[in-house]
Amino acid sequence: MAKLILKFEDRVIRELPLDADAVTVGRVPDNVLVIDNPTVSSHHARASRVDDSYVLEDLGSTNGTFIGNRMIGRHRLQDGNEAVIGKHTLVSTWRQQTSLRDGLRLRLTSSMTLDETRDFYREALEEQG
């Protein structure tokens, strides 16, 4: 399922599934996604469903909405886009995240040799730290 991930620096603040026709972003409580920071306008931006995707639109905010280093008015969101709103980052993702356990189950249901199984577990453990 598509979702927006709100980050501050490297910390995830909130994950919001995109299951509504529109998601408003801003500083005041009547927004779906509230960012309590003075660099964020009261009603800063809106992500709206258009066909099978979402479009992020700046709502005339004071400090703008950026993707990359470019200020946007409207932008069709793609998987992995990082929109900067004030001092926060809003990441769009369309990918279904698979847990390590589910990934192991999927891989082990296919035919794997003993060496492939060992290498798979070694890589998975290294990724987990």
Side-chain angles (χ1 to χ4, degrees):
M1 169 181 277
K3 65 181 171 180
L4 295 175
I5 302 169
L6 179 64
K7 296 171 72 177
F8 181 75
E9 296 174 350
D10 289 333
R11 294 180 315 216
V12 172
I13 306 297
R14 183 170 173 199
E15 294 188 12
L16 181 71
L18 282 174
D19 52 9
D21 287 334
V23 174
T24 55
V25 181
R27 194 177 67 248
V28 295
D30 66 347
N31 289 285
V32 175
L33 188 55
V34 177
I35 304 175
D36 186 19
N37 188 286
T39 61
V40 176
S41 292
S42 297
H43 298 99
H44 197 104
R46 177 178 46 233
S48 302
R49 186 188 325 255
V50 176
D51 300 323
D52 291 337
S53 63
Y54 278 82
V55 172
L56 182 65
E57 178 181 10
D58 185 88
L59 298 176
S61 66
T62 302
N63 294 317
T65 302
F66 295 81
I67 293 188
N69 290 327
R70 189 177 61 102
M71 185 183 285
I72 62 145
R74 286 177 56 95
H75 178 84
R76 184 175 296 270
L77 290 173
Q78 298 174 350
D79 185 46
N81 277 157
E82 294 188 1
V84 176
I85 296 177
K87 297 182 178 184
H88 291 70
T89 304
L90 195 57
V91 181
S92 59
T93 181
W94 307 151
R95 289 176 279 190
Q96 179 72 24
Q97 294 186 350
T98 303
S99 70
L100 176 61
R101 182 181 305 161
D102 291 340
L104 291 172
R105 189 178 310 121
L106 289 172
R107 287 289 302 266
L108 294 175
T109 57
S110 64
S111 59
M112 293 173 64
T113 67
L114 182 58
D115 288 338
E116 290 172 327
T117 303
R118 184 189 64 237
D119 292 343
F120 177 75
Y121 276 107
R122 182 181 299 132
E123 290 172 19
L125 290 171
E126 288 172 0
E127 288 177 10
Q128 293 297 308

